[in-house]
Amino acid sequence: MHFEGTLLKSDSESVAMSDEFAARLAQTRASFFSRDPEIWPAFADPNFRELLDFRFASHAPERRIDQYPKGSLRLEQLHRLDQIPQKSSEPKDGLDPLLQFSAALSKDWEHPSSVENVITMACDPGVYGSMLGTLANPNLVYQEYCGMADELEKAVVRQVANLVGYDANRATGIFTQGGTFCNMYGYLFGIRKSLPNSVKNGLDGGQDYRFINSQGGHYSNTTNLSVLGANVAKKTLRIKLTDTNDIDITDLERQMEACFRLGCVVPTIMLTMGTTDTFGVDQVKPVYELRNRLCEKFEIETPPHIHVDAAVGWPIIFFLNYDFGLNPLGINETTLKGLKTHAERFAELKFADSFTVDFQKWGYVPYTSSLLMVKDRDSMKALEHDPENFSYFEKDTQGQTHLQSTIECSRGAAGLFGAYTAMKYMGAEGYQTMIANGLQNANYFRHQLQQVPGSVLVASRNHGPSVGFRLYDTRTVKDPLAEWQAECDYSNTPEWHQRIDRNTKFHRELFLRKGKQHLFTNWVQFIAHTRYDEREKFEAIPGEKAVFFNPRTDFSHIDGFINDLRERLG
């Protein structure tokens, strides 16, 4: 397995921000990420202004409570609170101070240094749209309970279908409560299609089966199977990863063919486009072609359902029709090349039977806003339950929504309204600007980090927003890259484990000492994996990561972090 090297060579000029892009970025920030009451009057509310002024002040994390008026007292009051007030109170008496305190001291994703994970501040139109959805309070599970919100959901589904290359007349989708639920639907489609009796008999209906996912997928790939009642240890095939952290097609073919030869059903193949820590992007078209070829060879009537967890990476589809030759946004050279590579891979998303969209991540919409996209609306029929179970709904209107096919009895619409409003106002160009900005920050960080003695980039050929790295003690490790290569050569020996533990201990202690400064990174227990040994065993390697979604992060914050690292590493 090949770990060193980069997909894209970069120098200072190729990762610099052009004046053209900087001007466009400034305008996009001002219009959609400023909470400006002149643009969005909803933010003029005095209580909102007080809250936003505090959060936009970007206080150091360890000083936020002290900086908040009577912060320590409010925290003590919150700790002691355990009774509901007996008497009503009037809003004219002022906003409850504990309510205001809790909102102000919630995680400040508006802080320009916040790059901990695949989370970021929501855009202004996304917040405004979510407010409208909350105010209207529709329940999307049933048309009678949501009215025109049902038509809005269908409109957003058509918009995303056209973006990705689905037939908008055949596709469907539902907004649900998070990416994990979307991925659960992906498994459920396969179960109901391949094991139709499971709707009443569960998974133990006598037919042997195996679910397939990759070793680099989100933990919901496993937890969802447990919730669905699958024997995770014995009924799951986890496919090996390539050196770029995408699914190994050769290993996938070997495992699928073994299943089909034994008459074992494969309900679902779970892929990922944009892994959380390394932004690995699975190929979909080769999996689609492999599935079809093997199903024809073994005369499989119901092919495995291909679901793609694109919760993190889906916004790349805004670049599927971007003119990379003309480059109208003025994106820098390194990022433009990486985006072109990503766009070519994400163009394959249209071969998936369903996929997950998390607007609440790189889509800049408040929690929760997740969309399950389905290529063929007939897939929803496989999930339908007996109509007699829905006796208190009007039969004449039951078929107009996915009532009988959804897991939930309640589907809130705040995420839908937020998603629609964000796309309406930001448009494709607004999204392209913010996505490119995050990737430019990530590439600049990679370039600067490579100049720091004692640092090694992890998954250096994955040019997404997630940047993983490992730091070494320059007093004892003279060649960090060679040390990294030795760590990647998995050997279940005391010497190998001691080496990993020693280097991890140094990095972990350095991470804790520097704390939240310049960039708020986070620690990851599985930032990389070793090479596979002769038994196909591997080990996780811990490390540090930064994810550049934040619309307010600038090169100056990265420079501060890098300079601090230089001093600490000597």
Side-chain angles (χ1 to χ4, degrees):
M1 185 173 293
H2 180 72
F3 280 87
E4 74 278 3
T6 57
L7 175 65
L8 304 174
K9 298 293 184 182
S10 65
D11 52 37
S12 298
E13 184 176 349
S14 69
V15 296
M17 184 181 294
S18 70
D19 292 341
E20 179 184 1
F21 188 87
R24 189 179 293 272
L25 174 62
Q27 179 59 52
T28 304
R29 282 173 170 169
S31 298
F32 305 124
F33 293 93
S34 65
R35 309 292 195 254
D36 187 345
E38 294 295 323
I39 302 175
W40 304 96
F43 297 125
D45 177 271
N47 290 314
F48 284 176
R49 290 316 314 165
E50 181 182 338
L51 170 70
L52 293 169
D53 288 345
F54 178 82
R55 292 176 68 85
F56 271 72
S58 300
H59 299 293
E62 69 277 7
R63 298 196 61 204
R64 295 184 76 211
I65 292 178
D66 293 336
Q67 291 295 321
Y68 191 84
K70 300 181 180 180
S72 297
L73 173 63
R74 298 301 181 215
L75 181 59
E76 183 181 348
Q77 291 173 332
L78 197 57
H79 283 163
R80 294 201 310 265
L81 184 64
D82 61 2
Q83 297 292 326
I84 299 173
Q86 181 64 34
K87 294 184 177 181
S88 302
S89 56
E90 295 292 334
K92 65 182 180 181
D93 297 333
L95 190 68
D96 173 53
L98 295 187
L99 179 64
Q100 190 82 344
F101 171 75
S102 299
L105 272 293
S106 292
K107 170 62 185 173
D108 55 341
W109 296 111
E110 297 91 343
H111 198 299
S113 295
S114 291
V115 294
E116 287 96 325
N117 214 328
V118 289
I119 314 170
T120 187
M121 71 175 288
C123 66
D124 299 340
V127 174
Y128 178 69
S130 297
M131 289 179 180
L132 289 179
T134 300
L135 186 65
N137 197 32
N139 181 355
L140 293 171
V141 77
Y142 180 52
Q143 190 182 53
E144 287 288 296
Y145 296 173
C146 64
M148 202 54 63
D150 175 59
E151 296 297 334
L152 186 67
E153 183 178 46
K154 292 175 182 175
V156 171
V157 167
R158 289 193 298 270
Q159 289 176 317
V160 177
N162 283 321
L163 268 179
V164 79
Y166 276 179
D167 180 347
N169 294 317
R170 291 295 307 157
T172 190
I174 59 171
F175 274 82
T176 185
Q177 51 183 312
T180 294
F181 254 60
C182 292
N183 293 341
M184 183 181 290
Y185 275 107
Y187 280 130
L188 199 56
F189 279 127
I191 292 171
R192 296 291 187 254
K193 289 178 181 179
S194 300
L195 306 168
N197 292 331
S198 63
V199 69
K200 293 183 178 179
N201 301 332
L203 292 172
D204 295 327
Q207 176 68 61
D208 197 12
Y209 63 89
R210 294 293 185 278
F211 293 99
I212 290 180
N213 57 45
S214 84
Q215 293 171 347
H218 188 261
Y219 64 79
S220 66
N221 286 2
T222 298
T223 58
N224 273 336
L225 288 175
S226 178
V227 170
L228 290 168
N231 185 326
V232 176
K234 296 182 179 180
K235 301 295 186 180
T236 306
L237 298 175
R238 307 212 72 197
I239 308 302
K240 294 195 298 185
L241 300 173
T242 70
D243 57 329
T244 51
N245 295 282
D246 56 339
I247 196 167
D248 187 321
I249 304 296
T250 301
D251 188 39
L252 173 63
E253 180 171 6
R254 179 174 63 86
Q255 304 252 33
M256 283 183 64
E257 183 158 354
C259 287
F260 291 159
R261 284 189 183 280
L262 294 173
C264 182
V265 172
V266 177
T268 300
I269 302 170
M270 181 70 65
L271 302 178
T272 305
M273 298 191 82
T275 56
T276 304
D277 295 329
T278 59
F279 206 74
V281 181
D282 288 341
Q283 299 180 78
V284 184
K285 185 179 180 182
V287 174
Y288 168 83
E289 292 172 341
L290 171 64
R291 178 196 69 175
N292 293 350
R293 175 167 56 82
L294 291 181
C295 285
E296 181 178 358
K297 177 179 179 180
F298 292 97
E299 299 181 341
I300 306 297
E301 292 184 4
T302 304
H305 183 92
I306 298 175
H307 181 83
V308 176
D309 178 3
V312 175
W314 75 272
I316 297 293
I317 65 178
F318 284 107
F319 283 93
L320 295 187
N321 295 316
Y322 186 75
D323 189 333
F324 288 97
L326 186 61
N327 188 20
L329 296 183
I331 301 168
N332 67 39
E333 179 186 355
T334 295
T335 303
L336 191 69
K337 290 179 180 178
L339 264 171
K340 188 173 186 296
T341 300
H342 283 315
E344 290 169 353
R345 183 66 63 89
F346 274 82
E348 298 179 3
L349 191 52
K350 65 185 177 184
F351 291 99
D353 295 311
S354 58
F355 64 93
T356 296
V357 170
D358 262 7
F359 283 96
Q360 66 208 28
K361 292 184 172 67
W362 219 1
Y364 300 106
V365 176
Y367 280 107
T368 55
S369 183
S370 295
L371 171 62
L372 167 71
M373 283 295 299
V374 185
K375 186 173 186 176
D376 189 337
R377 65 175 62 253
D378 286 345
S379 293
M380 299 299 293
K381 292 180 180 179
L383 306 186
E384 287 184 355
H385 288 267
D386 191 330
E388 295 304 316
N389 294 331
F390 304 86
S391 59
Y392 49 83
F393 293 93
E394 291 284 348
K395 288 188 176 181
D396 291 344
T397 56
Q398 282 186 29
Q400 297 180 31
T401 62
H402 298 307
L403 168 68
Q404 296 165 6
S405 301
T406 56
I407 299 172
E408 311 99 315
C409 295
S410 302
R411 289 197 294 119
L416 160 65
F417 277 78
Y420 171 81
T421 313
M423 291 195 295
K424 164 65 180 177
Y425 287 93
M426 287 180 61
E429 286 190 358
Y431 270 103
Q432 289 169 347
T433 300
M434 300 318 300
I435 301 309
N437 176 60
L439 294 174
Q440 288 190 155
N441 280 334
N443 285 324
Y444 181 76
F445 183 58
R446 290 186 181 94
H447 178 267
Q448 296 298 86
L449 194 62
Q450 287 178 311
Q451 318 307 315
V452 177
S455 68
V456 171
L457 279 175
V458 172
S460 58
R461 298 197 296 164
N462 293 30
H463 282 254
S466 302
V467 183
F469 56 99
R470 194 156 161 86
L471 301 176
Y472 298 90
D473 188 349
T474 55
R475 296 169 299 180
T476 58
V477 177
K478 301 306 178 185
D479 188 341
L481 185 57
E483 187 75 5
W484 164 249
Q485 294 287 356
E487 290 180 325
C488 290
D489 285 329
Y490 173 56
S491 173
N492 192 18
T493 62
E495 293 78 15
W496 184 87
H497 286 286
Q498 288 169 8
R499 175 178 234 147
I500 286 282
D501 292 344
R502 180 186 67 245
N503 292 331
T504 297
K505 183 173 184 289
F506 169 79
H507 188 176
R508 175 67 175 169
E509 290 177 350
L510 177 61
F511 170 79
L512 293 174
R513 283 198 307 273
K514 63 186 175 65
K516 302 289 188 180
Q517 296 187 53
H518 306 294
L519 290 178
F520 305 160
T521 57
N522 68 337
W523 186 259
V524 182
Q525 286 301 118
F526 193 163
I527 196 66
H529 65 91
T530 64
R531 297 176 178 89
Y532 297 92
D533 67 8
E534 65 278 1
R535 298 170 301 160
E536 298 190 349
K537 300 292 185 181
F538 71 100
E539 287 282 345
I541 301 178
E544 194 170 347
K545 79 169 181 181
V547 182
F548 291 93
F549 282 3
N550 195 324
R552 302 184 67 214
T553 304
D554 286 322
F555 286 4
S556 61
H557 305 105
I558 295 171
D559 288 338
F561 183 86
I562 294 295
N563 292 336
D564 182 65
L565 268 191
R566 286 182 184 277
E567 293 180 7
R568 293 178 185 275
L569 290 171

